[in-house]
Structure formats: C-alpha cells, structure tokens
Amino acid sequence: MTDTGMLRFHVPEPEVRPGGAPDFSNVPIPRAGSVPRPEIDVDPREIRDLAFSIIRVLNRAGEAVGPWAGLLSDEELLEGLRHMMTLRAFDARMQMAQRQGKTSFYMQHLGEEAVSCAFRKALAPGDMNFPTYRQAGLLIAGGYPMVTMMNQIYSNEADPLKGRQLPIMYSSKEHGFFSISGNLATQYIQAVGWAMASAISGDNRIAVGWIGDGSTAESDFHAALVFASTYKAPVVLNVVNNQWAISTFQGIARGGSGTFAARGLGFGIPALRVDGNDYLAVHAVAKWAIERARRNLGPTLIEHVTYRAGAHSTSDDPSAYRPKAESDAWPLGDPVIRLKNHLIRLGVWSEERHAQAEAEILDTVIAAQKQAEEHGTLHSGNKPSTRDMFEGVYEQMPPHLRRQRQQAGV
Ligand SMILES: Cc1ncc(C[n+]2csc(CCOP(=O)(O)OP(=O)(O)O)c2C)c(N)n1
Ligand SMILES: [Mg+2]
C-alpha cells in the first residue's frame, strides 16, 4: 500500500546509547584469510564484493593466514610493533601534558595505531600523504623525531610551524606529510590534485589521501572521487572508519550505502575494506593499492574498519554519547595486542620482552619530552615571535597583512 500520510524523513540512530549494552552484532566479521587477493590489474567490476567484506590476516589464534599474508619478515613485524607501542606511549604522555596545562589540545590514536603505522611501511620515499589529525603513525613509523612533534604540540620556540597551527597539526615535506588542514576533507581533493601534478611532471611519486568516516559527508570527498576516477589519478584514498565522528555515529555519514568503501563503486574505483586493527592486513592492502597507483592503474579506495577507543580529543567526553564498555566489545580487538600475540606465536617475542620494551619505549618518550620542554611549553619559555604569524604564506605579503603587522607593532 502507498503511504499517503504526512511526509517524514529518516534519522539513523546508533544501536545503543549510554547506559545500554554495547552491541556490534550488526558488524559482520569474515574469517581471517577468507577474502581473496585479486591481481593488481583486476577489472574493478570483478571485485565489487570486496567493498562489503573485510580483508583480515591475523586470526584469533594469532596466526597469519590466507592470500594477503606473508609479506613482512619477523624483523619488520617487530619494528611495526615498536612503532605502534611508541605511538601509544607518545599519546599517553601528550594527553597527560595537556591535562598539566603544557599544551592547549591533544588528539589520541588509541585503538587505531595499526592504520597509519602499517600504511607508512608500504610507501616509498617521496610519496606524499594528505593526512588528518589521527595519522601521526605516518611520522613515527617514518622516523620523524618525536621531539619535533612535541615542540609543535607545545608551540614552543623550536616549533617548526612557529605556533601557527593547532597542536598536533604537523607538517613535513621531507617526511611526506602535507600540512594538516583543520577544515576537514579539503585535503582529499588536494591529494588527487597533487597526484595529477606528479603525473604531469613525469614523476613516480604517488599521493595518499586520508579522511575520517564522518568527514566523508563533506562535498570535497565526493569531488575528490570524481577527479580521481575520471583522470585515473595515481592516488590511494583512505577512509578511516573508527565508528564515530565526535558524538555522531558512522551511520549518519554512511547513509544507505552499506559501507564507506561502497562509495567508490559508483565511480568505478576499486574499493576494499580492511581490518584496521590488523597490522599485517593494513600493510598488505596498502601495498596492493600503492602498486596499482604506481603502475598507472588508477586510484583505490580503502576503508579501514577500526574503533576510536579513546576520546575524540582532549575537549571530548565520550561517556555522554556511547556506552563506557563499547570499546571492550569491539570485535576486531586491539592492534598492539594482536601483533604482540602473533609475534609470540612466531616464537620471536614474549610477554617479558614486551613488558621490557614498553618500559624502554616509555623512557625514550620521556627523554624526548624533557628535551622538548627545554624549549618551553604553552605557558613557559620563549615563544615564536608574533612577526612569524605574518610570514610563510605569501611570497610577497599583501598590503592588508602588511597593515595588520604594523598595527600589531612587530
Ligand atoms: C569542515 C569541518 N566541519 C566540522 C569540523 C569540526 N570537527 C572536527 S573533527 C570532527 C569529527 C570528524 O570525524 P571523522 O571524520 O569521523 O574523524 P575522526 O575524528 O573520527 O578521526 C568534526 C565534526 C571541522 N573541523 N571541519
Ligand atoms: Mg571517525
């Protein structure tokens, strides 16, 4: 029968609100190793189902199984574990530093460490990321100095960005980390443009775009897919689906498409979903997509299925909008523990060595923090000069800025 009642529209609701029992029964989790690995030059039409599955390598027993396994040596896996543990320790210290008033703001990666750490190891020198604020693993795994990151967080006299960016909005051309934009999604279309420019100039460096689930609702996301697909730009487009966009659950931005990866299908872009808490799976899928881009086979959309275990930022309290125990109920587990268990299973790691590494890493992070604090924190030490605020954007300063600088007396 036709509904002839009053018109209405639909507002999606999360399965559960604070006080309720966490429920992820609507998230189907395929067995590790069960999703095939297509040839690099596969016709996107043949792999449409990969936009609705989840590529996984590590099983519950900590074994690496299936066609996406076997790319990394024990040494590389141990290094990967160290990177994720370093990022976690770095986050914990900087979170505390914010509570101590040493910086105004911080954003953690808790639960999402595998995504950026593993992806970074699949890139080549010179490739350029267009990240958001939750991919510091790209820097940590790329060997960028923690002290420099902390100087930026503290906006101190050694901050390479001279206090002009919000804390954690790093920038490093040398490390393939484009300046982070606080205006979400603008970086996605920039990544496609950079990739096209790289091709125009006959280069072999590819670009990588990063975006959160919530930010895919921005029109820049869709414009980026139009340009990437039409021009088959050498770019990898990542969507980090950590289930939340501050207090908004992922169902709002996803709408009726079933998955975020499925957004790529209408554009003819190959789209894969990967277990974002599985270091080996993220790395294997990243390699696949990066090779496609490098071989002029065009863009790939990757949805990293993960969970933001911490607060959105130091200005957020998740207990206001989701059950406290939701992160414990997340079916894909913790990326650090899963890789640790795999390495123990391989016989190259142990609980004792893990505890020892944790202590060593904490010492290294604290040493870096001491060094950074010698250059000052938010409320101590020397600051970058006010004059710096006017520099670094225009080659020739426009008259209105010159006037403002004079008014500021610097
Ligand atoms: C254009 C724009 N709109 C809104 C905001 C405010 N804002 C900052 S983070 C955020 C949530 C983004 O969620 P998501 O994209 O899922 O990334 P996540 O924080 O989960 O990593 C919002 C709405 C912004 N910075 N820019
Ligand atoms: Mg999100």
CSV table of all heavy atoms in Angstrom, one decimal, residues 94 97 100-104 150-151 153-158 369-370 372-384:
chain,number,residue,atom,x,y,z
A,94,MET,N,51.4,12.8,26.0
A,94,MET,CA,50.9,14.1,25.5
A,94,MET,C,49.5,14.4,26.0
A,94,MET,O,49.2,15.6,26.3
A,94,MET,CB,51.0,14.2,24.0
A,94,MET,CG,52.4,14.2,23.4
A,94,MET,SD,53.3,15.7,23.9
A,94,MET,CE,54.3,15.1,25.2
A,97,ALA,N,50.2,15.7,29.3
A,97,ALA,CA,50.8,17.0,29.2
A,97,ALA,C,49.7,18.1,29.0
A,97,ALA,O,49.8,19.2,29.5
A,97,ALA,CB,51.8,17.1,28.0
A,100,GLN,N,48.1,18.7,32.2
A,100,GLN,CA,49.0,19.5,33.1
A,100,GLN,C,49.2,21.0,32.6
A,100,GLN,O,49.9,21.8,33.1
A,100,GLN,CB,50.4,18.9,33.1
A,100,GLN,CG,50.4,17.5,33.8
A,100,GLN,CD,51.7,16.8,33.5
A,100,GLN,OE1,52.4,17.0,32.5
A,100,GLN,NE2,52.1,15.8,34.4
A,101,GLY,N,48.4,21.3,31.5
A,101,GLY,CA,48.5,22.7,31.0
A,101,GLY,C,49.7,23.0,30.1
A,101,GLY,O,49.9,24.2,29.9
A,102,LYS,N,50.4,22.0,29.7
A,102,LYS,CA,51.6,22.2,28.9
A,102,LYS,C,51.2,22.5,27.4
A,102,LYS,O,52.1,22.9,26.6
A,102,LYS,CB,52.6,21.1,29.0
A,102,LYS,CG,53.2,21.0,30.4
A,102,LYS,CD,54.0,19.7,30.5
A,102,LYS,CE,54.6,19.6,31.9
A,102,LYS,NZ,55.3,18.3,32.1
A,103,THR,N,50.0,22.1,27.0
A,103,THR,CA,49.5,22.4,25.7
A,103,THR,C,48.0,22.6,25.8
A,103,THR,O,47.4,22.1,26.8
A,103,THR,CB,49.8,21.2,24.7
A,103,THR,OG1,49.2,21.6,23.4
A,103,THR,CG2,49.3,19.9,25.1
A,104,SER,N,47.4,23.2,24.8
A,104,SER,CA,46.0,23.5,24.9
A,104,SER,C,45.2,22.3,24.4
A,104,SER,O,44.0,22.2,24.8
A,104,SER,CB,45.7,24.7,24.1
A,104,SER,OG,46.1,24.5,22.7
A,150,MET,N,56.7,17.1,19.5
A,150,MET,CA,56.4,17.7,20.8
A,150,MET,C,56.5,19.2,20.8
A,150,MET,O,55.7,20.0,21.4
A,150,MET,CB,57.2,17.1,21.9
A,150,MET,CG,56.8,15.6,22.2
A,150,MET,SD,58.0,14.9,23.3
A,150,MET,CE,57.3,13.3,23.6
A,151,ASN,N,57.6,19.7,20.1
A,151,ASN,CA,57.8,21.1,20.0
A,151,ASN,C,56.6,21.8,19.4
A,151,ASN,O,56.1,22.9,19.7
A,151,ASN,CB,59.0,21.4,19.2
A,151,ASN,CG,60.3,21.1,20.0
A,151,ASN,OD1,60.3,21.1,21.2
A,151,ASN,ND2,61.4,20.8,19.2
A,153,ILE,N,53.5,20.5,19.4
A,153,ILE,CA,52.4,20.4,20.3
A,153,ILE,C,52.5,21.5,21.4
A,153,ILE,O,51.4,22.1,21.8
A,153,ILE,CB,52.4,19.0,21.0
A,153,ILE,CG1,52.0,18.0,19.9
A,153,ILE,CG2,51.4,18.9,22.2
A,153,ILE,CD1,52.3,16.5,20.4
A,154,TYR,N,53.7,21.8,21.8
A,154,TYR,CA,53.9,22.9,22.9
A,154,TYR,C,53.9,24.3,22.3
A,154,TYR,O,53.9,25.3,23.0
A,154,TYR,CB,55.2,22.6,23.6
A,154,TYR,CG,55.2,21.4,24.5
A,154,TYR,CD1,56.4,20.7,24.7
A,154,TYR,CD2,54.1,21.0,25.1
A,154,TYR,CE1,56.4,19.6,25.6
A,154,TYR,CE2,54.1,19.8,26.0
A,154,TYR,CZ,55.3,19.2,26.2
A,154,TYR,OH,55.3,18.1,27.0
A,155,SER,N,53.9,24.4,21.0
A,155,SER,CA,54.0,25.8,20.3
A,155,SER,C,55.2,26.5,21.0
A,155,SER,O,55.1,27.7,21.2
A,155,SER,CB,52.8,26.6,20.5
A,155,SER,OG,51.6,25.8,20.1
A,156,ASN,N,56.3,25.8,21.2
A,156,ASN,CA,57.4,26.5,21.8
A,156,ASN,C,58.4,27.1,20.8
A,156,ASN,O,58.1,27.1,19.6
A,156,ASN,CB,58.2,25.5,22.8
A,156,ASN,CG,58.8,24.3,22.0
A,156,ASN,OD1,59.1,24.4,20.8
A,156,ASN,ND2,59.0,23.2,22.7
A,157,GLU,N,59.5,27.6,21.3
A,157,GLU,CA,60.4,28.4,20.4
A,157,GLU,C,61.0,27.5,19.3
A,157,GLU,O,61.5,28.0,18.3
A,157,GLU,CB,61.5,29.0,21.2
A,157,GLU,CG,62.4,28.0,21.9
A,157,GLU,CD,63.6,28.7,22.7
A,157,GLU,OE1,63.7,29.9,22.7
A,157,GLU,OE2,64.3,27.9,23.3
A,158,ALA,N,61.0,26.2,19.5
A,158,ALA,CA,61.6,25.3,18.5
A,158,ALA,C,60.5,24.6,17.6
A,158,ALA,O,60.8,23.8,16.8
A,158,ALA,CB,62.4,24.2,19.2
A,369,GLN,N,60.4,14.2,25.7
A,369,GLN,CA,59.6,15.2,26.3
A,369,GLN,C,60.4,16.2,27.1
A,369,GLN,O,60.2,17.4,27.0
A,369,GLN,CB,58.6,14.5,27.2
A,369,GLN,CG,57.5,15.4,27.7
A,369,GLN,CD,56.4,14.8,28.5
A,369,GLN,OE1,56.6,13.6,28.8
A,369,GLN,NE2,55.4,15.5,28.9
A,370,LYS,N,61.4,15.7,27.8
A,370,LYS,CA,62.3,16.5,28.6
A,370,LYS,C,63.0,17.5,27.7
A,370,LYS,O,63.1,18.7,27.9
A,370,LYS,CB,63.4,15.7,29.4
A,370,LYS,CG,62.8,15.0,30.6
A,370,LYS,CD,63.9,15.0,31.7
A,370,LYS,CE,63.3,14.5,33.0
A,370,LYS,NZ,63.5,13.0,33.1
A,372,ALA,N,62.1,18.5,24.7
A,372,ALA,CA,61.2,19.4,24.1
A,372,ALA,C,60.9,20.5,25.1
A,372,ALA,O,60.8,21.7,24.8
A,372,ALA,CB,59.9,18.8,23.6
A,373,GLU,N,60.7,20.1,26.4
A,373,GLU,CA,60.3,21.1,27.4
A,373,GLU,C,61.4,22.1,27.7
A,373,GLU,O,61.2,23.2,28.2
A,373,GLU,CB,59.8,20.3,28.6
A,373,GLU,CG,58.4,19.7,28.3
A,373,GLU,CD,57.8,19.0,29.5
A,373,GLU,OE1,58.3,19.1,30.6
A,373,GLU,OE2,56.7,18.3,29.2
A,374,GLU,N,62.7,21.7,27.4
A,374,GLU,CA,63.8,22.7,27.5
A,374,GLU,C,63.5,23.9,26.6
A,374,GLU,O,64.0,25.0,26.8
A,374,GLU,CB,65.1,22.0,27.2
A,374,GLU,CG,65.6,21.3,28.4
A,374,GLU,CD,66.7,20.3,28.1
A,374,GLU,OE1,67.4,20.5,27.0
A,374,GLU,OE2,66.9,19.3,28.8
A,375,HIS,N,62.8,23.7,25.5
A,375,HIS,CA,62.5,24.7,24.6
A,375,HIS,C,61.2,25.5,25.0
A,375,HIS,O,60.7,26.4,24.3
A,375,HIS,CB,62.3,24.2,23.1
A,375,HIS,CG,63.5,23.7,22.6
A,375,HIS,ND1,64.6,24.5,22.2
A,375,HIS,CD2,63.9,22.4,22.3
A,375,HIS,CE1,65.6,23.7,21.7
A,375,HIS,NE2,65.2,22.5,21.8
A,376,GLY,N,60.5,25.0,26.0
A,376,GLY,CA,59.3,25.6,26.5
A,376,GLY,C,58.1,24.8,26.3
A,376,GLY,O,58.0,23.9,25.5
A,377,THR,N,57.0,25.2,27.0
A,377,THR,CA,55.7,24.6,26.8
A,377,THR,C,54.7,25.8,26.5
A,377,THR,O,55.1,27.0,26.5
A,377,THR,CB,55.2,23.8,28.0
A,377,THR,OG1,55.1,24.7,29.1
A,377,THR,CG2,56.2,22.7,28.3
A,378,LEU,N,53.4,25.5,26.5
A,378,LEU,CA,52.4,26.5,26.2
A,378,LEU,C,52.6,27.8,27.1
A,378,LEU,O,52.5,28.9,26.7
A,378,LEU,CB,51.0,25.9,26.5
A,378,LEU,CG,49.8,26.9,26.2
A,378,LEU,CD1,49.8,27.4,24.8
A,378,LEU,CD2,48.5,26.2,26.6
A,379,HIS,N,52.9,27.5,28.4
A,379,HIS,CA,53.0,28.7,29.3
A,379,HIS,C,54.4,28.9,29.9
A,379,HIS,O,54.5,29.6,30.9
A,379,HIS,CB,52.0,28.5,30.5
A,379,HIS,CG,50.6,28.5,30.0
A,379,HIS,ND1,50.0,29.6,29.4
A,379,HIS,CD2,49.6,27.5,30.1
A,379,HIS,CE1,48.7,29.3,29.1
A,379,HIS,NE2,48.5,28.1,29.5
A,380,SER,N,55.4,28.3,29.3
A,380,SER,CA,56.7,28.5,29.8
A,380,SER,C,57.7,28.7,28.7
A,380,SER,O,57.5,28.2,27.6
A,380,SER,CB,57.2,27.3,30.7
A,380,SER,OG,57.5,26.2,29.9
A,381,GLY,N,58.8,29.4,28.9
A,381,GLY,CA,59.8,29.5,27.9
A,381,GLY,C,59.5,30.6,26.9
A,381,GLY,O,58.5,31.2,26.9
A,382,ASN,N,60.4,30.7,25.9
A,382,ASN,CA,60.3,31.6,24.8
A,382,ASN,C,59.2,31.2,23.8
A,382,ASN,O,59.1,30.0,23.7
A,382,ASN,CB,61.6,31.9,24.1
A,382,ASN,CG,62.6,32.6,25.1
A,382,ASN,OD1,62.2,33.3,26.0
A,382,ASN,ND2,63.9,32.3,24.9
A,383,LYS,N,58.6,32.1,23.2
A,383,LYS,CA,57.6,31.8,22.1
A,383,LYS,C,58.2,32.1,20.8
A,383,LYS,O,59.1,33.0,20.6
A,383,LYS,CB,56.4,32.6,22.4
A,383,LYS,CG,55.7,32.3,23.7
A,383,LYS,CD,54.6,31.2,23.4
A,383,LYS,CE,54.3,30.4,24.7
A,383,LYS,NZ,55.2,29.2,24.9
A,384,PRO,N,57.6,31.5,19.7
A,384,PRO,CA,57.9,32.1,18.4
A,384,PRO,C,57.5,33.5,18.3
A,384,PRO,O,56.6,33.9,19.1
A,384,PRO,CB,57.1,31.2,17.4
A,384,PRO,CG,56.6,30.0,18.2
A,384,PRO,CD,56.6,30.4,19.7
